[in-house]
Amino acid sequence: MSRDEYYMNIAMAVRKKANCLGRKVGAVIVRENRIISTGYNGTPEGMVNCTDGGCVRCRDRATYQASVGYDVCICVHAEQNALITAARFGNAVEDAIVYSTLRPCFDCTKAMLQARVTSIHYLHNWHHPIGALQDQYELLQRSLRGGVHQVTMHDPEADWANAKLTPTPDQ
Ligand SMILES: [Zn+2]
Ligand SMILES: [Zn+2]
């Protein structure tokens, strides 16, 4: 197993705890070949889980289509949770590598760029539905010094993780 596959397998394990009606994502931050932080996506601590209807944006897919409206989503993305956890425990992320089960969105890419994360390795692709913004997104991702790379490997839970809307139990 390659190093990329090793860390991506761990990111997939972290993803199991994701609590979002949308896609389920797991991320790990690696520095000097050590995992210094992990994160999965879901509502902030102490708030009603997205899977229990806690997030208006994720709940109302008639108004907010997939990949848009992240600014009003209360779910914290996996990559941002990993960065925030590192900050909380005082772990520097400069020159670190992020492994994420989904290609990081606009917001997560900006945060990683400014935190001086060196490169991103992702499993499933993500793109912005609006063409002009997709161009901007690619420009942003090209700014990472070590680049953005896809890790090609089997994901046994791809259908569950990539469902754009998971029905709530009472639906
Ligand atoms: Zn959500
Ligand atoms: Zn994101």
Side-chain angles (χ1 to χ4, degrees):
M1 185 189 292
S2 71
R3 190 172 286 176
D4 285 349
E5 286 172 330
Y6 172 73
Y7 288 123
M8 197 58 82
N9 264 311
I10 297 170
M12 282 194 263
V14 170
R15 181 181 65 184
K16 288 180 194 293
K17 281 192 78 183
N19 74 78
C20 184
L21 292 171
R23 283 172 279 222
K24 317 287 186 290
V25 186
V28 298
I29 302 180
V30 176
R31 197 176 173 207
E32 292 181 25
N33 248 323
R34 297 289 184 276
I35 293 174
I36 58 162
S37 192
T38 66
Y40 55 85
N41 61 330
T43 54
E45 250 179 66
M47 299 190 73
V48 177
N49 281 343
C50 180
T51 44
D52 295 323
C55 177
V56 171
R57 179 261 167 189
C58 289
R59 210 167 62 202
D60 182 4
R61 281 304 162 96
T63 308
Y64 309 101
Q65 60 166 305
S67 304
V68 300
Y70 284 165
D71 57 325
V72 292
C73 183
I74 65 163
C75 292
V76 183
H77 287 184
E79 306 92 315
Q80 291 194 11
N81 260 329
L83 288 174
I84 290 162
T85 300
R88 183 157 152 184
F89 296 112
N91 288 320
V93 298
E94 185 162 10
D95 297 325
I97 299 171
V98 171
Y99 286 86
S100 177
T101 59
L102 183 66
R103 188 173 182 171
C105 74
F106 258 97
D107 251 11
C108 290
T109 304
K110 281 190 287 188
M112 286 188 262
L113 196 57
Q114 285 299 79
R116 293 218 182 168
V117 161
T118 181
S119 64
I120 297 169
H121 294 256
Y122 67 91
L123 183 60
H124 298 290
N125 205 1
W126 180 91
H127 63 87
H128 200 282
I130 300 169
L133 293 177
Q134 174 65 17
D135 294 346
Q136 178 98 87
Y137 170 69
E138 283 170 11
L139 186 69
L140 187 66
Q141 291 219 325
R142 279 202 296 276
S143 304
L144 274 116
R145 285 171 295 146
V148 178
H149 314 275
Q150 187 163 28
V151 177
T152 308
M153 62 186 285
H154 177 63
D155 178 0
E157 295 179 302
D159 290 346
W160 166 77
N162 293 330
K164 288 182 177 126
L165 185 62
T166 309
T168 47
D170 59 349
Q171 271 180 327

